[in-house]
Amino acid sequence: MESPALFYTVFLGCLLLSITGYSIYIGFGPPSKQLRDPFEEHED
């Protein structure tokens, strides 16, 4: 690559997409069954 700015832009874009995808997987995928909801635990 000739321009380091293009490399950094592509790298940061891929990093952002991978973090977003992993967060969605943890929040809504199979591991979400192990998450607890502190607001439901303390309802009156």
Side-chain angles (χ1 to χ4, degrees), residues 9-31:
T9 303
V10 171
F11 177 76
L12 288 175
C14 290
L15 184 66
L16 179 66
L17 283 175
S18 63
I19 290 173
T20 303
Y22 182 70
S23 299
I24 291 172
Y25 172 73
I26 292 296
F28 298 104

Side-chain angles (χ1 to χ4, degrees), residues 1-10:
M1 293 190 176
E2 295 178 15
S3 173
L6 178 64
F7 173 74
Y8 292 136
T9 303
V10 171

